[in-house]
Amino acid sequence: MNESWCCVINEEWKKTEPRVSIITPVYNRRMELPRALDSVKNQTYRNFEHIIIDDGSVINIDDIVDAYMKTVPFPVAYIKKPNGGVHTARNAGIKISRGKLIIPLDSDDELKPDCLKVLTEAWDEIPAEKIHEYWQVTAFCENHKGVRIGGHLPDGINQLPFNEAKYKAKSVEKGEKIGMLRGDLMRALPWPEPEGVNFVSEAVNWLRLDSQYLTWFVDDVVRIYHTDTENSLCNDGVKRDNQKLINMLYDRLWLVNNGGKFGQSNWMIIKNILWYCMLWHLLHWRRSYPNYIWVRKGIVNYQHRAFSYLLWLPSIFPAFLYQCKHS
């Protein structure tokens, strides 16, 4: 365990090693967190543990988590760590997780009462001889008004050839979904924790896993997704936007350097190079261009670097439009 962490467990943690680990990073969401915790308490499937990670909140949530740990009949661990971003909090929770399956739960969202039951039963539907080929089962969400996000999957989708099934699933996606993930793969593949970045996109890991493993699709709605909350207490919009640009710079640079290895098309790589150039201009104009090691390495592929030179001037105009919109 990292020396900067503090981890507390309840008595139930010592009694069992459950099948499912629920991972909940928290930053400041004192008002919303009880809603998420209640949704875990209400699960009809009970063979799980809950790991809560306080990512350096400036609002105290200890009393909420302490009361929760003392009253629930299932294992709970509470990690307190310095602020590093949600990706570092997820890494911390996954590192101590014991479940063969992992489900992420944001601190402002809810699991429907049958969520774990539906998703674990879906795992059990995968033929035993093929289970090693899969990295997740996915299902649908609804918004806080009870409206389903996305359309319906066709019957028998998991009996189709995977590429066809994946295409049909993508065609009905309209936003957020939820996945239950293989614990061994998640523990073996933590999110990168680059210097100066406080948010690494989930796509960085999902792209790697999706290129090597299959997905089992579930048509049920099992999560309530809320969009009316705000993590940050900072009122400095310029500072926050500059940090967002640095985060985006890392994501786009990672995709330029690695996307081709994991199945991204040449068109997508060129699109990411354009974004990389735009972000370079924006951060230089704002005198906020970072000097981290990953920035200095830049684009490592010579052909991709040549494309960046070609896109240098054309990228100035969209960068200027972004600057006008967000200044």
Side-chain angles (χ1 to χ4, degrees):
M1 184 180 295
N2 192 305
E3 291 182 359
S4 62
W5 296 1
C6 171
C7 183
V8 180
I9 58 175
N10 67 354
E11 286 299 317
E12 296 298 322
W13 187 274
K14 307 170 186 176
K15 297 178 182 179
T16 182
E17 291 194 10
R19 186 184 185 193
V20 178
S21 298
I22 303 172
I23 309 292
T24 302
V26 187
Y27 180 71
N28 288 342
R29 285 177 172 156
R30 182 176 176 86
M31 298 298 292
E32 296 84 5
L33 180 60
R35 179 176 63 198
L37 301 184
D38 285 344
S39 78
V40 174
K41 287 194 290 187
N42 292 333
Q43 290 302 298
T44 57
Y45 178 93
R46 306 302 287 181
N47 188 15
F48 67 87
E49 65 187 9
H50 193 187
I51 302 170
I52 303 162
I53 310 97
D54 180 356
D55 187 42
S57 295
V58 296
I59 296 176
N60 185 22
I61 60 170
D62 291 353
D63 57 324
I64 296 174
V65 179
D66 183 59
Y68 177 72
M69 294 178 73
K70 289 178 179 177
T71 57
V72 295
F74 47 79
V76 181
Y78 180 39
I79 296 172
K80 291 177 67 70
K81 61 180 284 296
N83 181 254
V86 67
H87 60 294
T88 67
R90 288 179 179 137
N91 282 345
I94 289 170
K95 187 172 184 178
I96 70 162
S97 66
R98 303 172 295 171
K100 292 184 178 180
L101 301 170
I102 288 175
I103 183 165
L105 172 63
D106 288 348
S107 56
D108 60 336
D109 290 337
E110 302 172 72
L111 302 179
K112 302 198 82 171
D114 62 348
C115 175
L116 299 188
K117 179 177 182 292
V118 168
L119 295 180
T120 53
E121 288 179 353
W123 268 105
D124 293 337
E125 291 176 9
I126 302 173
E129 68 275 10
K130 293 186 176 182
I131 195 74
H132 65 282
E133 299 178 13
Y134 287 82
W135 75 279
Q136 67 167 344
V137 296
T138 63
F140 286 82
C141 303
E142 64 182 34
N143 64 25
H144 64 282
K145 297 180 180 179
V147 177
R148 180 187 177 101
I149 302 173
H152 285 277
L153 299 171
D155 292 339
I157 187 170
N158 293 305
Q159 280 66 55
L160 298 173
F162 180 68
N163 284 340
E164 183 180 349
K166 186 176 180 180
Y167 174 79
K168 289 181 179 294
K170 286 285 185 184
S171 69
V172 300
E173 287 182 8
K174 302 296 182 184
E176 283 290 316
K177 294 188 73 177
I178 181 172
M180 179 175 274
L181 322 169
R182 264 177 54 186
D184 60 333
L185 295 178
M186 298 308 299
R187 285 184 280 270
L189 193 67
W191 272 271
E193 298 187 9
E195 183 184 7
V197 176
N198 67 12
F199 178 78
V200 173
S201 169
E202 292 177 343
V204 167
N205 266 11
W206 293 175
L207 182 65
R208 291 191 277 186
L209 289 164
D210 219 23
S211 69
Q212 301 173 63
Y213 298 93
L214 308 180
T215 295
W216 191 265
F217 301 103
V218 179
D219 196 51
D220 300 64
V221 171
V222 297
R223 172 185 169 212
I224 303 172
Y225 177 62
H226 293 266
T227 59
D228 54 349
T229 55
E230 173 62 54
N231 254 350
S232 177
L233 297 180
C234 175
N235 292 319
D236 187 349
V238 173
K239 180 179 178 181
R240 188 166 63 245
D241 194 46
N242 287 350
Q243 180 61 61
K244 177 183 175 182
L245 295 178
I246 293 171
N247 297 343
M248 291 169 64
L249 182 72
Y250 175 81
D251 281 351
R252 297 295 175 163
L253 184 57
W254 190 95
L255 290 169
V256 170
N257 286 334
N258 299 282
K261 294 185 290 187
F262 303 115
Q264 279 211 320
S265 66
N266 290 333
W267 165 243
M268 282 301 300
I269 292 171
I270 293 172
K271 182 179 178 181
N272 287 320
I273 293 172
L274 177 62
W275 265 102
Y276 169 76
C277 295
M278 288 170 52
L279 294 163
W280 189 96
H281 293 307
L282 286 164
L283 287 164
H284 272 88
W285 294 342
R286 298 177 181 205
R287 299 185 180 182
S288 298
Y289 199 76
N291 190 35
Y292 308 125
I293 292 175
W294 59 268
V295 178
R296 296 198 298 271
K297 287 182 177 179
I299 298 176
V300 297
N301 180 285
Y302 291 116
Q303 185 178 14
H304 295 165
R305 193 181 301 171
F307 268 110
S308 73
Y309 297 150
L310 293 173
L311 293 172
W312 212 251
L313 285 175
S315 64
I316 292 176
F317 181 65
F320 175 75
L321 292 179
Y322 184 101
Q323 177 75 351
C324 292
K325 183 177 180 181
H326 294 85
S327 60

